[in-house]
Amino acid sequence: MVMGVLNVTPDSFSDGGAWMDRARAVEHGLQLVADGADVVDVGGESTRPGAGSVPVDDELRRVVPVVEALAGHTRVSVDTRKAAVAEAAIAAGATIVNDVSAELWPIAAAHGVGWIAMHMPADPSVMADHAVYGDVVAEVTAYLTARAEQARAAGVADVWIDPGLGFAKTAAHNLSLLRHLDRLVATGWPVAVGASRKSFLGRLTARDGVIPPPSDRLEASVATAAWAMAAGAALVRVHDVAPVAMVRRLAAPEPDPTAGLAQGTAPVDQDRPNHQPGDSEQQQGGRGAQTRRQSPTATGAVR
Ligand code: HH2
């Protein structure tokens, strides 16, 4: 699934302040759906490093009306670590609790909704001091599987586990978790990944010592989402839904876009006017294949 981020906060690290107006927030949520999001993740509290807690009434005021307005149009998750906010959002139509605290499974169980358990070993206000691990992959995997098992035992049917990239983790920890995502996938629990626009991607893509701002981390975010999908992630949480939805189509084409080749009903490749349905010269090593090898820009294969 592709989960679109909709932060109704003044201070989120990337889209803070952009969607505080309720009508604009709903409009953006609908745009995320039009772009290909399967679920819109509505959050009313930033959990960036150093952030303090938002009073529950403020978070309710931000989140509930937006969830209510979107729930008739799409699947909605609520990104919160407060039980009262999770319950109010479920009453308003949310069907997933995206829980960065990994503690709200009893609420998901009580209401029959899905639950995402994310790894965050310390409160955001102090988490920078807690980026200390022996084996980050093993520790995060053990923590998440234990939570997932507790939730399943309590009756939660839909459980995802999420390594919590950027939450009390250095860039090296985040990369290690991404590199070994297959180990999380191998647990059998569906894996969710949220790398979109995060600062470790900014640091990795800095040029001449200049770190691009969150809005300029598109390529790194899309590449990381593609990597996560290829490693078997079941859900990617992203700000830029359209390009990631396109990657998802490429990664798991449904229906198979080549299925119509024999019948001549496959999508037409606009870049290759000479291409005919059923043309398999390239695979057979025929004359066309040679021509394409000599002229790589003329073939879709090398793009
Ligand atoms: N990251 C953020 C928030 N919620 N949920 C899951 N499951 N996984 C994540 O990696 C994750 C998350 C932080 O990103 P964002 O919401 O864009 O920023 P902020 O916390 O500043 O609102």
Side-chain angles (χ1 to χ4, degrees), residues 44-142:
E45 176 183 75
S46 172
T47 47
R48 72 193 185 287
S53 183
V54 170
V56 67
D57 285 346
D58 289 355
E59 197 176 328
L60 285 168
R61 242 192 317 275
R62 292 173 185 176
V63 162
V64 172
V66 176
V67 170
E68 209 161 37
L70 288 174
H73 303 276
T74 182
R75 190 164 193 193
V76 176
S77 57
V78 59
D79 183 357
T80 188
R81 47 195 176 126
K82 295 192 183 74
V85 175
E87 292 200 305
I90 293 166
T95 59
I96 300 176
V97 178
N98 177 22
D99 178 10
V100 300
S101 74
E103 286 176 352
L104 300 179
W105 74 87
I107 289 170
H111 296 278
V113 300
W115 180 64
I116 301 175
M118 200 200 74
H119 179 267
M120 179 176 72
D123 190 85
S125 58
V126 294
M127 70 186 172
D129 304 331
H130 291 259
V132 181
Y133 305 89
D135 179 338
V136 67
V137 179
E139 287 169 43
V140 168
T141 304

Side-chain angles (χ1 to χ4, degrees), residues 102-103 105 115-118 140-162 184 187-190:
E103 286 176 352
W105 74 87
W115 180 64
I116 301 175
M118 200 200 74
V140 168
T141 304
Y143 172 95
L144 290 173
T145 49
R147 296 288 165 127
E149 281 159 17
Q150 266 174 309
R152 180 58 56 77
V156 184
D158 293 331
V159 176
W160 290 263
I161 59 173
D162 183 325
L184 268 184
T187 65
W189 296 101

Side-chain angles (χ1 to χ4, degrees), residues 7 12-13 46-47 79 98 118 162 167 194 198 237 239:
N7 283 315
S12 286
F13 82 93
S46 172
T47 47
D79 183 357
N98 177 22
M118 200 200 74
D162 183 325
F167 288 82
K198 285 187 176 168
R237 180 182 183 275
H239 299 82

Side-chain angles (χ1 to χ4, degrees), residues 12-24:
S12 286
F13 82 93
S14 174
D15 57 350
W19 319 118
M20 287 301 279
D21 176 77
R22 195 166 299 166
R24 289 202 64 210

